[in-house]
Amino acid sequence: MNLIYAALAFLMALVFGFVGVTRVGSWLIERRNPPIGEFADIDGARIHYVHVPAPANAELPPIVFIHGASANLRDQMLPLRPLLEGRAEMLFFDRPGHGWSGRGTNNENPSAQANTIAALMDHLGIKKAVIVGHSFGGVVTSAFGREHPDKTLGLVFLAPATHPWPGGATAWYYDLTTMPVLGWLFSETLTYPAGTLQMADATTCVFSPNKVPDNYLSSVSIPLVLRPTAFRANATDVAGLYRYALAT
């Protein structure tokens, strides 16, 4: 019996140790990657965004950029803002639960996130825009076009995730993270240390066969996704994508 108690005590100490490592790691990530934009309360979700106004003689219509899984507004803003600033009004934002945006209570699928984007556009006085979606942002872009045609000037898809794929499989850790209790425990203990060790290799795989841009991970603040709440939001998005694509 004493051995059982000792094993349980060791297990609990290990869990609390990993929780502590994750909390400290998340704090360091946030210190190194502070918000760079403004915030708006959109239907209970605190959304972080960068709004770039257009000059009076803008040659292009307003453009709204929707980033993909595991990312945040910097992923599109850093390469594209320098090319378009002074030519168009631009809106970059962290999707609900990603980067510095709160998840809120009603952003669990692409349609709900499209509604949040439409409300953010209303908040900023953007009546219509070209919507640009990358990767997972593609399915949100598609939902936006269907549900808010009055706000849509055009849709641009960059390597979009919009259709069902054979088998519908996703990485095991996304499915695990969406499980009740066990998923919460996993995200609060192991995603930060394990994700930190695997992030460089995973990024190389994503960009393959191309080279990962210099300083990509740090400049785009990708480690923000390793915080437990962000990881759970990202896992919910990715794990639910196949079912959503089938249904729509």
Side-chain angles (χ1 to χ4, degrees), residues 65-245:
F65 296 88
I66 307 177
H67 67 78
S70 305
N72 58 79
L73 64 82
R74 295 179 190 239
D75 195 34
Q76 290 168 300
M77 187 180 76
L78 292 185
L80 297 178
R81 179 174 177 174
L83 300 176
L84 296 169
E85 191 156 12
R87 302 174 62 197
E89 180 179 13
M90 292 177 282
L91 174 60
F92 303 90
F93 65 97
D94 293 333
R95 285 193 297 107
H98 296 255
W100 282 94
S101 286
R103 186 68 164 179
T105 57
N106 189 33
N107 284 296
E108 298 298 299
N109 63 64
S111 293
Q113 293 183 26
N115 293 336
T116 295
I117 296 164
L120 179 60
M121 289 172 61
D122 288 340
H123 174 78
L124 296 171
I126 302 174
K127 293 185 175 10
K128 294 184 177 183
V130 173
I131 313 298
V132 180
H134 172 237
S135 190
F136 186 93
V139 73
V140 182
T141 297
S142 178
F144 189 96
R146 289 195 312 272
E147 298 177 28
H148 301 281
D150 57 315
K151 297 181 180 296
T152 304
L153 288 174
L155 304 176
V156 178
F157 297 95
L158 307 175
T162 54
H163 292 72
W165 57 94
T170 56
W172 63 268
Y173 45 82
Y174 290 135
D175 294 325
L176 174 61
T177 303
T178 59
M179 295 175 62
V181 183
L182 187 60
W184 180 90
L185 184 62
F186 176 69
S187 65
E188 292 287 339
T189 55
L190 295 176
T191 54
Y192 168 74
T196 299
L197 292 174
Q198 294 296 320
M199 182 164 284
D201 288 341
T203 304
T204 298
C205 181
V206 168
F207 277 89
S208 180
N210 298 314
K211 179 180 179 294
V212 178
D214 293 339
N215 303 314
Y216 174 77
L217 289 175
S218 58
S219 62
V220 182
S221 299
I222 297 299
L224 284 169
V225 75
L226 297 181
R227 298 168 301 163
T229 55
F231 196 88
R232 290 194 292 270
N234 190 52
T236 299
D237 286 348
V238 175
L241 175 58
Y242 186 75
R243 293 189 301 274
Y244 180 86

Side-chain angles (χ1 to χ4, degrees), residues 24-34 192 223-224 226-227:
V24 172
S26 298
W27 178 80
L28 288 172
I29 287 172
E30 292 184 344
R31 286 291 300 270
R32 293 166 181 162
N33 302 277
Y192 168 74
L224 284 169
L226 297 181
R227 298 168 301 163

Side-chain angles (χ1 to χ4, degrees), residues 31-56:
R31 286 291 300 270
R32 293 166 181 162
N33 302 277
I36 57 174
E38 300 177 81
F39 290 89
D41 187 353
I42 305 297
D43 296 330
R46 189 169 184 254
I47 302 299
H48 176 233
Y49 67 91
V50 172
H51 180 214
V52 183

